[in-house]
Amino acid sequence: QVQLVESGGGLVQAGGSLRLSCAASRSIFSFNAMGWYRQAPGKQRELVAGITKFGTTNYAGSVKGRFTISRDNAKNTVYLQMNSLKPEDTAVYYCNANPGGWEHDYWGQGTQVTVSS
């Protein structure tokens, strides 16, 4: 069983920055892709940013240019650098690992990000 442990959430003022980390219990190169999702109260969980094992990235339109996803294979950790935060970025952020093939996805426990206006 894979464990994904997120950290780095918190309370920040609008315009501020946070960096989320997701540490995996096995090599992240074993996953086809990893990503960050978020879920705000009363809303569906949505993809924020993803990164493949080869480093290709994709972003939701609402965060493009403000958020950056990256990975450190040596540390088995994926990061989400969030700049110019807005109140609408407030949500629980979840780390996801997609192994591909027959294996199911893995999820972290979530970390709260709150942006005050």
Side-chain angles (χ1 to χ4, degrees), residues 18-53:
L18 284 174
R19 188 177 80 155
L20 305 183
S21 300
C22 172
S25 59
R26 82 179 195 206
S27 170
I28 62 173
F29 200 72
S30 69
F31 302 115
N32 282 345
M34 296 190 70
W36 287 95
Y37 287 72
R38 68 186 181 188
Q39 188 166 19
K43 295 188 177 182
Q44 289 190 331
R45 191 173 296 190
E46 62 174 354
L47 175 67
V48 175
I51 185 167
T52 71
K53 64 189 303 181

Side-chain angles (χ1 to χ4, degrees), residues 3-23:
Q3 304 294 324
L4 300 176
V5 180
E6 300 114 331
S7 61
L11 173 64
V12 64
Q13 287 190 332
S17 299
L18 284 174
R19 188 177 80 155
L20 305 183
S21 300
C22 172

Side-chain angles (χ1 to χ4, degrees), residues 59-102:
Y59 297 92
S62 60
V63 307
K64 199 171 292 186
R66 299 188 297 122
F67 291 10
T68 303
I69 189 170
S70 61
R71 57 192 293 151
D72 185 332
N73 291 334
K75 295 182 178 180
N76 292 324
T77 300
V78 174
Y79 303 97
L80 184 68
Q81 179 66 45
M82 304 185 295
N83 298 328
S84 302
L85 282 161
K86 304 175 181 180
E88 50 263 44
D89 295 318
T90 295
V92 178
Y93 285 69
Y94 297 91
C95 179
N96 170 270
N98 171 245
W102 57 267

